[in-house]
Amino acid sequence: MTIRVSGLRKAFATAGGRIEAVAGIDLTLHPGEFLVLLGPSGCGKTTTLRCVAGLERADEGRIEVDGAVVDDGDRFVPPERRDIGMVFQSYAVWPHLTVAENVALPLTHGQRRVAHREIAPRVAEALALVRLEALASRPVTELSGGQQQRVALARAIVTRPKVLLMDEPLSNLDARLRDSMRTELRRLTQALGVTTLYVTHDQIEALSLGDRVCVMRAGRILQQGTPLEVYEAPVDTFVAAFVGDMNFVPGTVRADGAVDTPLGRVACAARAAPGTAVTLGMRPEHITAEPDGAVADSIDGVLRARTFLGETTALQVEAGGLTLVAKVRRAPTSSVGQPVRLHLPRDAWRVFDRAPAA
Amino acid sequence: MEVFLPLGMLVWASLTPYLIAPSADALPLLTLANYGRMLTPQSARGLANTVVVLAIAPLLAVAIAVAVAWIVTRTASRLRGIIDVLAFAPHAVPSVLVAVGLAYVALLARGAIPLYGSVLIIALADAIIYLAFASRTLNAAMIQVHHELEEAGRVGGLSPLATLRHVIVPLVRPALLNSWFWVALLSYREVTMALVLLTQFNNVIATDIWTLWREGEVNRVAALGTSLVAVMLALIVVATLALRRSPVSRTAAAGAEAAA
């Protein structure tokens, strides 16, 4: 099941005028792929998802599912006629029904209804997949948030849709539950082989769940790629800062490709014309704290704060008028206020051609 | 409490053979004869017609109100503002005028639709006038149903109508029962329009009371009136108990949770 979104645009009229939520999006989901739309609130990721679901009509552009046009301005296939399942942030389980009734309703009264004798086994199968068999006859309102979200998931997959759409399904859950549900979601979608479009503002969810991640901002896709690509090679400072943390250092390219910065000369081989203003970036975990007298690619600074995080220690170090954040496995012996030496490996620098995003 | 003074007098009058002030001396006069004479061919028809009105008017008003509330609160239709005003507009028109206007329309159309002079026209008038009550109640209830509950139905493959029937209507069931009952009580006791629309065979209990009063049958009026009130009070008790048993709290709690 391939989903192809091209030139998608959608604007909303608000009290403050027209707001273009989606400003031209091209997207292809391959069969069985898990694609994550990642971005801050208001970036258009949910609107994109809702257009694919048919809950919104596109202003411009075209959406194809399995080669068939479901929305192109003229044609519009309503959500109930699209072969999809969807999970909402608010769970949206039907409070007047039991767990089993919630899962059964799409089979009894939906477009994809099945023969009566098939309903019970299908409901049982879906509930087993989300491990809720034991609660089938309970009123859904007696369940916890995590259990309600499982009901919503079972309800979304009970029709065996070719496409599963998820809109921030974990963000109403507490942190511990979110972790276990994340693992379970991955297991489930892989077992079903269903093509999944997943919307989140949480970078950890995006990186851990997605086969591919699209980072969005202001209605556009800034970067698409595997989680590793997006994390290791962000195209700009916004993506870099949104997908994980990054230290930004302003600089100017020299004739030999090195960059002059407040931290001194950085030998990072920038591919920009001499004199160009660039921003260098380095992930906190690439920085290490060095014992005194260490070698190249090192700077001296003053330790301003240290936070023990268990596996790592976060350091805030002031150097060259900047504050750098490092996540180190071996913490330096220096205490706050004392000098500290950091190693910034030259291979770990990313060079961006713009100032850091505000 | 204020309602019990006239009501008490009504009960007293229904038990006396003629109008007499309540006193210990009058006690030996008390009789149930007025109740015995209550049922005449005329009042039997009034009773039957009232049942017809109660079967039709609240159902019609609530059905239209569901449609109106759904359009007004759940759709982006451009007509929703107009529809909302139209549903509420009957409040601005004195019911006697609605009845007169409806009578004219029915007279003009009597060749095509035999509505004039039937009990159906009274039911229709009640439905029109009381639609505003039902639609306001249902608007308030429906706006509280989280839109994702409805969208979950649509992406689950339910048509808009199936979503309305299996998701929204069950969730606003308490408001539905409430407004049905409210319109039923209002229609039951409605007399102004029923009198304007009264012809030979479409009398209802409320108009019977009026007719008897005009004929000077004060004590039979009292008996009929007392019975009318007794039935209404019984219905109120039944409805209150029924509504209490419906899953209001469950739905409301879930709605609040979903909205949070």
Side-chain angles (χ1 to χ4, degrees):
Chain A
M1 174 63 54
T2 304
I3 301 173
R4 189 164 283 122
V5 176
S6 37
L8 182 69
R9 282 176 180 275
K10 177 73 185 175
F12 294 103
T14 68
R18 237 171 113 76
I19 290 182
E20 192 159 49
V22 177
I25 282 206
D26 300 294
L27 203 61
T28 303
L29 268 92
H30 303 293
E33 186 178 35
F34 197 121
L35 182 71
V36 178
L37 299 180
L38 173 69
S41 59
C43 74
K45 56 191 191 301
T46 292
T47 304
T48 304
L49 185 86
R50 289 172 60 82
C51 285
V52 174
L55 294 172
E56 304 283 353
R57 277 189 86 138
D59 292 340
E60 274 179 52
R62 175 215 275 278
I63 300 171
E64 284 170 58
V65 177
D66 211 15
V69 174
V70 294
D71 191 353
D72 69 353
D74 298 326
R75 248 165 310 177
F76 177 75
V77 179
E80 64 269 21
R81 297 197 179 277
R82 299 186 185 189
D83 194 1
I84 54 174
M86 183 161 170
V87 180
F88 296 85
Q89 181 176 358
S90 67
Y91 321 144
V93 293
W94 296 308
H96 58 297
L97 301 177
T98 65
V99 169
E101 285 167 347
N102 260 277
V103 179
L105 194 57
L107 297 181
T108 53
H109 293 94
Q111 297 288 338
R112 286 160 280 160
R113 68 190 65 172
V114 298
H116 189 263
R117 65 179 188 292
E118 264 191 71
I119 291 171
R122 288 276 288 271
V123 169
E125 181 195 66
L127 286 177
L129 276 169
V130 298
R131 299 182 178 140
L132 276 183
E133 312 95 306
L135 302 178
S137 55
R138 293 272 286 277
V140 73
T141 45
E142 286 179 11
L143 271 56
S144 70
Q147 290 169 329
Q148 290 193 17
Q149 193 57 297
R150 282 162 198 265
V151 175
L153 191 57
R155 181 180 62 183
I157 59 175
V158 76
T159 57
R160 295 177 183 159
K162 295 179 192 137
V163 179
L164 188 57
L165 306 173
M166 292 196 257
D167 185 9
E168 309 242 8
L170 306 183
S171 55
N172 279 9
L173 305 178
D174 64 63
R176 183 177 284 271
L177 201 54
R178 201 152 51 214
D179 286 350
S180 68
M181 272 297 275
R182 207 167 56 215
T183 317
E184 206 155 326
L185 272 183
R186 189 76 182 127
R187 171 187 66 80
L188 195 65
T189 51
Q190 274 173 349
L192 295 171
V194 63
T195 309
T196 306
L197 185 58
Y198 187 103
V199 160
T200 184
H201 63 269
D202 183 310
Q203 45 124 345
I204 297 179
E205 275 175 37
L207 297 179
S208 59
L209 283 171
D211 295 321
R212 232 158 16 106
V213 177
C214 291
V215 184
M216 291 183 64
R217 184 193 194 187
R220 291 195 170 76
I221 294 174
L222 299 179
Q223 185 171 8
Q224 302 192 36
T226 64
L228 194 68
E229 283 165 4
V230 171
Y231 188 80
E232 294 289 340
V235 293
D236 63 20
T237 52
F238 177 82
V239 175
F242 199 79
V243 184
D245 297 318
M246 192 170 265
N247 294 295
F248 292 114
V249 178
T252 310
V253 179
R254 289 163 47 87
D256 60 1
V259 179
D260 278 330
T261 76
L263 302 176
R265 187 168 303 169
V266 174
C268 63
R271 281 189 215 95
T276 311
V278 294
T279 300
L280 299 184
M282 183 171 290
R283 299 252 180 235
E285 69 272 20
H286 290 150
I287 302 176
T288 49
E290 289 293 320
D292 283 348
V295 284
D297 296 343
S298 290
I299 58 159
D300 290 313
V302 178
L303 186 61
R304 287 297 175 206
R306 57 189 296 161
T307 312
F308 180 61
L309 298 174
E311 287 176 41
T312 59
T313 301
L315 308 176
Q316 263 187 46
V317 176
E318 197 178 300
L322 300 166
T323 301
L324 299 177
V325 177
K327 269 189 191 162
V328 299
R329 292 192 159 275
R330 269 178 303 157
T333 49
S334 340
S335 44
V336 172
Q338 289 186 328
V340 65
R341 177 162 289 185
L342 296 180
H343 180 235
L344 307 164
R346 62 183 69 182
D347 301 340
W349 285 108
R350 308 280 330 161
V351 184
F352 303 105
D353 57 2
R354 260 177 291 167
Chain B
M1 290 313 280
E2 71 289 347
V3 76
F4 289 106
L5 192 62
L7 203 58
M9 197 56 218
L10 196 68
V11 174
W12 172 261
S14 76
L15 296 170
T16 58
Y18 46 85
L19 261 190
I20 178 171
S23 70
D25 296 343
L27 284 179
L29 291 173
L30 294 189
T31 169
L32 288 172
N34 293 318
Y35 288 92
R37 290 192 300 142
M38 224 169 50
L39 209 66
T40 61
Q42 168 81 5
S43 69
R45 195 174 54 221
L47 189 65
N49 282 340
T50 301
V51 170
V52 173
V53 167
L54 291 190
I56 296 173
L59 198 65
L60 193 61
V62 168
I64 298 172
V66 166
V68 167
W70 186 75
I71 292 168
V72 170
T73 64
R74 317 304 297 180
T75 70
S77 165
R78 266 160 222 210
L79 296 175
R80 61 199 187 127
I82 297 167
I83 289 169
D84 197 26
V85 169
L86 281 181
F88 198 60
H91 265 329
V93 185
S95 58
V96 64
L97 294 182
V98 171
V100 170
L102 194 61
Y104 285 163
V105 171
L107 269 173
L108 284 175
R110 71 186 183 285
I113 318 160
L115 208 54
Y116 187 77
S118 77
V119 66
L120 296 181
I121 196 169
I122 296 174
L124 189 61
D126 288 340
I128 291 171
I129 278 288
Y130 299 132
L131 168 62
F133 291 83
S135 95
R136 284 295 130 142
T137 310
L138 281 166
N139 275 5
M142 232 180 249
I143 207 156
Q144 290 183 55
V145 177
H146 197 281
H147 66 94
E148 286 188 349
L149 291 175
E150 184 178 9
E151 291 173 350
R154 299 293 303 281
V155 295
L158 274 70
S159 66
L161 207 62
T163 308
L164 180 66
R165 196 172 137 224
H166 296 288
V167 176
I168 298 174
V169 164
L171 287 175
V172 300
R173 201 175 73 114
L176 219 61
L177 294 175
N178 238 328
S179 44
W180 184 93
F181 187 67
W182 196 9
V183 174
L185 277 183
L186 290 169
S187 306
Y188 184 47
R189 67 184 204 192
E190 204 287 328
V191 69
T192 310
M193 293 188 298
L195 278 177
V196 172
L197 297 166
L198 182 63
T199 57
Q200 202 178 351
F201 300 112
N202 64 354
N203 56 304
V204 291
I205 295 176
T207 60
D208 286 348
I209 291 174
W210 173 261
T211 310
L212 285 174
W213 169 261
R214 291 281 303 249
E215 289 166 1
E217 294 275 6
V218 182
N219 303 98
R220 279 173 65 197
V221 167
L224 197 54
T226 303
S227 311
L228 183 91
V229 171
V231 172
M232 288 223 282
L233 287 176
L235 283 176
I236 287 176
V237 169
V238 168
T240 310
L241 291 178
L243 285 172
R244 195 175 296 165
R245 217 169 300 152
S246 72
V248 190
S249 49
R250 220 171 93 188
T251 309
E257 202 175 302

